[in-house]
Amino acid sequence: MELELRHLKTIRAIAEAGSLTRAATVLGLAQPALSAQLRRIERALGGALFERGRHGVRTTALGELVLERTRIVLPAVSELQREATRFARSQGEGERLRLGGTHGPLLGALVDRLADAAPGTAVTTCASWSERELAEMLNEGRLDFALSGTCGSAPPPDSPHLVWEEIAVDPVFVMLADGHRLAHGREIELAALANEGWACVPGDGCFADCFTAACARAGFTPRRMYETDTASCVHLVQVGRAVGLCRATFPPTPGLAIRPLHGTPLMWRHLLGWHPAGQRPGTAATVLAQAREAHAGAAARSDSYAYWLAERR
């Protein structure tokens, strides 16, 4: 029997599970079938890979050697598959761009601008609240570009293969019902909102921790936080159930007053990410330029953001 990748995956699964029974469950096999497969693999490799005991299995010296090679071979093959997929798509298809983005106005604005800047390009979109998921999709060749972001100066989702370029850095604003007692102020002290419920969209970065820390510096702990989609956040604010956190580029919306927070306790950094192996020359520069123009347009439509910028010039 010749050793195959599926055999290496089986060895890894057994080692990670610590028992044949648990590994069989993970692999979707019957335990006797997995035991028989392991015996065939061990015969092909010339010795036992695991010692069986009452409490599970432990790797032998030969097993450790094979596992060490497995940790190199399996990731390398996975990366080869991703690279080949990206290359084949970039060479074998017509012009197209697959864009991903987290919640916010920039994704739609970027699609609109690319329709004029690259009229022959087919553009598709994918939205996710997870910055890490978007990074994984870039790594796997399922997206060409992703609009993401980080809180303040936090690093982008960790990936050694991706390029991240800054689009802009914005203050985080607060949105209130237009009948709220503070809705007509130019800026709002965070401490003045200590008794409010809060609404925001979810994310897997550090923003929630940074917000909690900002509230602590202002002398309070948020009493309630609703994490939900953008439309539901807007509704909760409009009906007075909560006040919301939003980026300064949040579009003007009936029933809402969008105001800066005094002292700018929170910032948001807009980023564009891509995998350089999957892009034609010049494409990234074009998309980045259009993303920055899309942000500038969104900022120009916000009276609150214009005031905030004017106060700091």
Side-chain angles (χ1 to χ4, degrees), residues 131-217:
E131 291 88 356
R132 293 193 187 99
E133 181 182 30
L134 292 174
E136 289 173 4
M137 293 176 75
L138 289 173
N139 264 322
E140 294 168 0
R142 292 186 285 144
L143 286 178
D144 296 308
F145 293 92
L147 289 167
S148 187
T150 63
C151 180
S153 59
D158 184 31
S159 173
H161 305 295
L162 301 182
V163 173
W164 294 97
E165 288 287 344
E166 186 177 287
I167 297 169
V169 180
D170 289 338
V172 174
F173 283 3
V174 64
M175 54 183 177
L176 311 95
D178 56 9
H180 192 281
R181 59 187 174 83
L182 299 174
H184 300 292
R186 281 289 197 177
E187 289 188 341
I188 297 176
E189 294 279 355
L190 184 58
L193 301 169
N195 294 321
E196 302 284 351
W198 293 85
C200 71
V201 293
D204 51 12
C206 64
F207 183 80
D209 292 336
C210 293
F211 170 64
T212 301
C215 293
R217 291 192 297 271

Side-chain angles (χ1 to χ4, degrees), residues 13-311:
I14 295 170
E16 290 177 348
S19 81
L20 289 176
T21 301
R22 288 193 292 271
T25 300
V26 171
L27 294 170
L29 298 173
Q31 195 270 341
L34 179 60
S35 296
Q37 184 181 94
L38 177 59
R39 287 194 294 271
R40 291 194 296 272
I41 294 171
E42 288 177 325
R43 284 197 298 271
L45 291 172
L49 302 177
F50 298 96
E51 294 176 352
R52 283 74 160 175
R54 287 189 307 164
H55 302 295
V57 297
R58 293 192 311 169
T59 52
T60 63
L62 177 59
E64 284 294 336
L65 172 67
V66 174
L67 277 173
E68 182 181 347
R69 300 296 191 273
T70 296
R71 295 184 187 105
I72 298 171
V73 171
L74 291 179
V77 172
S78 295
E79 181 61 21
L80 171 61
Q81 290 175 325
R82 289 193 291 267
E83 291 286 349
T85 299
R86 281 191 291 268
F87 182 83
R89 284 173 175 165
S90 67
Q91 298 296 312
E93 297 182 353
E95 288 287 339
R96 71 166 184 168
L97 288 175
R98 296 161 301 161
L99 306 180
T102 51
H103 47 85
L106 292 189
L107 182 58
L110 178 57
V111 171
D112 183 40
R113 294 195 62 84
L114 287 172
D116 293 328
T121 301
V123 178
T124 58
T125 61
C126 171
S128 171
W129 60 264
S130 170
E131 291 88 356
R132 293 193 187 99
E133 181 182 30
L134 292 174
E136 289 173 4
M137 293 176 75
L138 289 173
N139 264 322
E140 294 168 0
R142 292 186 285 144
L143 286 178
D144 296 308
F145 293 92
L147 289 167
S148 187
T150 63
C151 180
S153 59
D158 184 31
S159 173
H161 305 295
L162 301 182
V163 173
W164 294 97
E165 288 287 344
E166 186 177 287
I167 297 169
V169 180
D170 289 338
V172 174
F173 283 3
V174 64
M175 54 183 177
L176 311 95
D178 56 9
H180 192 281
R181 59 187 174 83
L182 299 174
H184 300 292
R186 281 289 197 177
E187 289 188 341
I188 297 176
E189 294 279 355
L190 184 58
L193 301 169
N195 294 321
E196 302 284 351
W198 293 85
C200 71
V201 293
D204 51 12
C206 64
F207 183 80
D209 292 336
C210 293
F211 170 64
T212 301
C215 293
R217 291 192 297 271
F220 72 96
T221 299
R223 68 181 184 90
R224 183 181 294 119
M225 175 62 77
Y226 302 103
E227 280 195 345
T228 184
D229 60 276
T230 301
S232 296
C233 283
V234 168
H235 175 75
L236 288 170
V237 174
Q238 287 172 326
V239 299
R241 295 293 181 186
V243 297
L245 295 166
C246 64
R247 301 164 194 177
T249 52
F250 195 87
T253 303
L256 295 186
I258 298 170
R259 297 290 182 262
L261 288 167
H262 181 72
T264 316
L266 295 165
M267 300 292 290
W268 185 260
R269 189 160 62 111
H270 298 274
L271 299 171
L272 181 72
W274 67 90
H275 196 303
Q279 299 308 319
R280 294 180 174 90
T283 302
T286 297
V287 176
L288 179 60
Q290 295 304 317
R292 287 171 173 164
E293 289 293 330
H295 174 271
R301 290 188 290 273
S302 169
D303 292 339
S304 296
Y305 199 4
Y307 161 77
W308 186 88
L309 290 170
E311 286 289 298

